[in-house]
Amino acid sequence: MKTKLEVCVDSVESAVIAQECGADSLEICSNLIIGGTTPGVSQFKHIRKACTAELYVLIRPRYGDFLYTDAEFDMMKEDIWMFRKLGADGITAGCLRSDGSLDLGRMKELKDCAGSLRFTLHRAFDVCRDPYESLEETISLGIDRILTSGQAAACTEGTEVLRQLIAQAGERIEILVGSGVNAQAIRRIRAETHAVSFHMSGKQRIDSKMSYRKEGVNMGLPGLSEFDIFRTDPEEIRKAKEALLAEKEGEW
């Protein structure tokens, strides 16, 4: 199976950097600092214009769990239709039931909305009750990829589950390894699990260019400075791509 590197981005600037540094595909989102939510229309349009890489759109109406209200689910379906018309190559989404199982009914509805778009089940998979059962259910829905850390906080902590998932999946579905991915993690996980597809953000903090700074007024999450901007780090993407393309495990 061909190696693949996907980079998650929430700005045009980061998308361009990621593509120039070797990303095979991009996951487009907003609010990456809180795990990502559905991106804006103009954001997607500008990235589509600037990049030729495959674009997957994150369909996630809010931060938090994956048990959605009827209104939130209707928004997800409408967003899939919209990004499909705007030229997305794929979507990334997921729904769970309150008992931790995949919501197969809603997942099928999302799959039907996506039509010919490639479909990735995102890390809702990492908080589901039974990953091995959910893998089989995901395959039965005709979904193309599962983004997972092996049900751990970081992929390097979930290597045993990743190994089992990759072996169970075989050629039936792509296992896309995410969370904490960098060049070092790729070398280790490829050697231990034979994974070939990886997902990363490679983000770095950039200091704001504001010279006047009003102190004591916070617009967002406590402890997060209004003068920190997050962008894709080109060096991190280059190193990850080089690690992924290493010809032999012995080189690692």
Side-chain angles (χ1 to χ4, degrees), residues 42-56:
S42 58
Q43 175 191 354
F44 175 83
K45 285 182 175 179
H46 280 271
I47 292 175
R48 177 78 286 174
K49 184 177 180 180
C51 297
T52 58
E54 280 191 329
L55 301 187
Y56 287 79

Side-chain angles (χ1 to χ4, degrees), residues 24-194:
D24 299 298
S25 62
L26 305 174
E27 183 193 272
I28 311 304
C29 69
S30 291
N31 304 309
L32 183 55
I33 192 64
I34 56 170
T37 55
T38 305
V41 173
S42 58
Q43 175 191 354
F44 175 83
K45 285 182 175 179
H46 280 271
I47 292 175
R48 177 78 286 174
K49 184 177 180 180
C51 297
T52 58
E54 280 191 329
L55 301 187
Y56 287 79
V57 179
L58 178 63
I59 305 297
R60 188 185 182 204
R62 57 162 171 78
Y63 169 81
D65 66 30
F66 305 104
L67 179 65
Y68 296 114
T69 66
D70 289 343
E72 289 169 337
F73 185 64
D74 285 343
M75 290 165 56
M76 293 171 73
K77 291 188 290 184
E78 289 179 20
D79 283 338
I80 290 173
W81 277 109
M82 175 181 63
F83 286 112
R84 181 177 169 182
K85 291 179 181 178
L86 290 173
D89 297 295
I91 59 107
T92 301
C95 300
L96 297 180
R97 295 185 180 277
S98 61
D99 65 359
S101 62
L102 282 183
D103 191 329
L104 297 179
R106 283 188 162 184
M107 290 292 290
K108 185 179 185 304
E109 285 190 59
L110 296 183
K111 182 69 169 63
D112 290 342
C113 286
S116 61
L117 298 184
R118 285 176 59 78
F119 193 124
T120 305
L121 168 58
H122 59 37
R123 292 188 66 216
F125 181 85
D126 281 331
V127 290
C128 73
R129 184 177 56 196
D130 185 335
Y132 308 110
E133 178 182 58
S134 295
L135 172 63
E136 295 300 329
E137 292 174 337
T138 305
I139 291 171
S140 73
L141 291 171
I143 288 172
D144 302 283
R145 311 190 302 174
I146 296 174
L147 172 60
T148 176
S149 62
Q151 293 209 315
C155 59
T156 50
E157 299 169 13
T159 53
E160 179 55 29
V161 174
L162 286 170
R163 186 190 64 76
Q164 293 184 52
L165 290 171
I166 290 168
Q168 181 180 337
E171 299 294 324
R172 297 181 297 161
I173 194 169
E174 180 180 341
I175 302 298
L176 181 62
V177 178
S179 186
V181 170
N182 55 27
Q184 183 177 4
I186 288 173
R187 293 187 188 96
R188 174 181 166 184
I189 290 172
R190 285 201 71 186
E192 295 182 11
T193 72
H194 304 293

